[in-house]
Amino acid sequence: MCVVGALQDPRKDVINFRNLFPTKIALRLDESDQVDMVLGDGARDRGALADEISPLPEVGAGVGYVRLEAVPDPVRVRAAYVTDDDIQAMLAVVTIGGDAA
């Protein structure tokens, strides 16, 4: 079983038991204080600069920080960023001989 708890504003106490989740993920945040709210005390001091992730999709899309329960140091991660042009190119490859529209 997998349980996912997600929130948009870490200052709001909408998930009362969020400290019980063993894996925490922070994407781009607005304020430096929010990093410790999401990842735990001291996470920003240990390198989780989620408040400095660029809002530009080409630079900051898919960037986040992950902290595992047994590991105090957060890890910077990045998921692949796929543009609309990339998707159109992939569509053209898989629909060879077909109509892409």
Side-chain angles (χ1 to χ4, degrees):
M1 178 180 290
C2 178
V3 177
V4 176
L7 53 101
Q8 291 182 336
D9 187 347
R11 294 170 297 194
K12 304 280 194 261
D13 197 16
V14 295
I15 302 177
N16 297 334
F17 49 89
R18 64 178 156 181
N19 62 327
L20 300 178
F21 286 90
T23 301
K24 296 174 174 68
I25 302 170
L27 302 178
R28 184 170 53 89
L29 296 169
D30 294 328
E31 302 167 10
S32 60
D33 293 345
Q34 293 176 345
V35 176
D36 288 348
M37 289 178 196
V38 174
L39 298 177
D41 290 339
R44 190 170 193 290
D45 291 338
R46 290 191 302 275
L49 304 176
D51 58 305
E52 295 182 6
I53 296 172
S54 175
L56 300 173
E58 299 81 14
V59 178
V63 175
Y65 291 87
V66 175
R67 189 177 146 255
L68 304 176
E69 183 176 39
V71 182
D73 294 329
V75 176
R76 185 180 189 272
V77 296
R78 179 156 195 172
Y81 175 64
V82 183
T83 66
D84 290 344
D85 290 338
D86 294 334
I87 294 170
Q88 289 298 324
M90 287 187 273
L91 180 64
V93 169
V94 297
T95 58
I96 295 174
D99 185 8

